[in-house]
Amino acid sequence: MVPVYGAVVDSQTRCKHYHTKKDIIAIKFKCCNKYYPCYRCHEECEDHPISVWKKEEFGETAILCGVCRTEYTIHRYLQMDRCSHCGFQWNEGCKKHYHLYFQFEENSGRP
């Protein structure tokens, strides 16, 4: 089983910061190669700054569905609104934090 670090509150990777029904993904942080439910969990547990995934690295497996534990590449995750394996919907509000995890193309507003 893939370990998820941080203030995890249940078996589906929800944390003390984000714990709605749809908060079921964990993100592998490039800087430490560890899965965390959110950037705040990473900040609380690590002593280094977050490194964002560059566009050319979007083929890396870095997203974990907390329900079925399926891992996705960043590229695939950005194309989906739910897990293609178990069908559970992901929190659309995560898009507000994409800039903390993924490199944006200049002036596009999208990763």
Side-chain angles (χ1 to χ4, degrees), residues 78-90:
L78 294 173
Q79 296 174 337
M80 302 164 39
D81 68 348
R82 66 186 63 238
C83 179
S84 63
H85 185 260
C86 69
F88 276 82
Q89 188 173 7
W90 295 327

Side-chain angles (χ1 to χ4, degrees), residues 1-2 25-26 34 37 39 44 55 57 63 68 71 97 111:
M1 180 171 284
V2 177
I25 66 151
K34 293 180 185 176
Y39 72 95
E44 290 175 0
K55 185 83 169 170
E57 298 170 318
I63 306 298
C68 68
E71 291 182 279
H97 301 137

Side-chain angles (χ1 to χ4, degrees), residues 55-104:
K55 185 83 169 170
E56 58 270 15
E57 298 170 318
F58 284 11
E60 296 289 328
T61 302
I63 306 298
L64 176 71
C65 174
V67 175
C68 68
R69 299 302 217 211
T70 299
E71 291 182 279
Y72 292 96
T73 65
I74 299 164
H75 181 71
R76 181 78 175 115
Y77 166 72
L78 294 173
Q79 296 174 337
M80 302 164 39
D81 68 348
R82 66 186 63 238
C83 179
S84 63
H85 185 260
C86 69
F88 276 82
Q89 188 173 7
W90 295 327
N91 188 340
E92 58 278 355
C94 291
K95 292 177 183 178
K96 297 176 187 173
H97 301 137
Y98 278 0
H99 66 284
L100 298 171
Y101 310 117
F102 314 121
Q103 180 185 53
F104 282 82

